[in-house]
Amino acid sequence: MATNAFSSSSKPLIPIFTGEKYEFWSIKMKTLFRSQDLRDLVEYGFVDLEDPDEEAEDRLKEVKKKDAKALFLIQQAVHETIFSRIAAATTSLEAWQILKKEFQGSSKVMTVKLQTYRRDFETLSMKGNEFVQTYLSRVSSLVNQMKSYGEAISEETVVAKVLRSLTPKFEHIVAAIEEAHDLSDYSFDELMSSLQAHEDRLLRSQEKNEEKAFQVKGEMYENTAGCGSGRGGIRGRGRGRGGGRSGSSEELQNKVFKCYYCDKPGHREVDCCKKQKDEKNQASFAEEPDEEKIWGKNVSLWWLFKISKILGLLVWLYAVFVDLEL
């Protein structure tokens, strides 16, 4: 919404109405009328006496002068595309009513719109991934729209609505606010400050937890890789370098995992490299048994077993050759 200015720099800027967001523009204009002591003239108009006496005529002349000023403000506050609709108006009341009826609607239309806003207010709730400031801005915008249509909604009602429509992560702060404050005296701005401070604490705590989990996961990966490459043990990298934090990486890992196979800290039994190597060796032994282990140190018996196998093979070949000759 554009703005325009009076010729004097001390005069306030005039908001320009372009045909959109009439509710907000009318609020700004009403404030401007009050600052110039013109609100009553614009809202209620004046009575033009037919045959006034000299004193009444002077007062009427002064009223008409103020009304002309108000009409001029309205004319200056609308875009050229809107001005043609109020060009024939001779009083500020007439021009104001034309704009109000066309862009805000009749009393019946206003009632329907207000009912819609009321329903939106009742069903309004905070989204799971929404920040407090964003949600409170939505609430404030909806409340202002309701007020522009004549709804008298108290701050206590708005505060109570916000408290019961927050996400579960705010349950503790909601209980604390309801216990420590009287909602009839608790302002919307105070509520906003408390909720934003609580959200900041939650975000800081979440960042610390994520950082700690990432560090532990990285150290666990290093420990597993170190076992596989023969280093076996913990790499004491730690986080105490200039940070003032006590304790080492080894102490942290000892609290997290301990292998019951190799009796070393920093990894679980299912990830133990020593156990995996042993199981692999046992499997290879089962597939290809060592004959020397079977026969032991009796070498003569082992050679006798080999010779008997060779003789058996020769007898089989001889039998096959004889069959072929026949």
Side-chain angles (χ1 to χ4, degrees), residues 11 36 38 64-74:
K11 297 299 179 86
Q36 302 295 319
L38 301 173
K64 288 182 176 181
K65 183 178 179 181
K66 293 178 64 177
D67 185 71
K69 181 180 179 181
L71 178 60
F72 174 74
L73 290 177
I74 296 174

Side-chain angles (χ1 to χ4, degrees), residues 66-95:
K66 293 178 64 177
D67 185 71
K69 181 180 179 181
L71 178 60
F72 174 74
L73 290 177
I74 296 174
Q75 292 173 344
Q76 291 294 311
V78 296
H79 194 265
E80 293 179 356
T81 58
I82 309 296
F83 176 75
S84 59
R85 306 178 191 186
I86 62 172
T90 57
T91 64
S92 60
L93 174 62
E94 183 180 359

Side-chain angles (χ1 to χ4, degrees), residues 23-24 26-27 104 114 117 121 136-151 153 158 188:
E23 295 83 5
F24 297 123
S26 64
I27 292 174
Q104 192 176 40
L114 184 57
Y117 289 142
F121 181 77
L136 294 181
S137 297
R138 289 201 295 127
V139 174
S140 180
S141 177
L142 182 57
V143 170
N144 288 332
Q145 287 178 328
M146 294 172 66
K147 289 182 177 180
S148 68
Y149 280 87
E151 180 73 358
I153 182 170
V158 178
F188 184 80

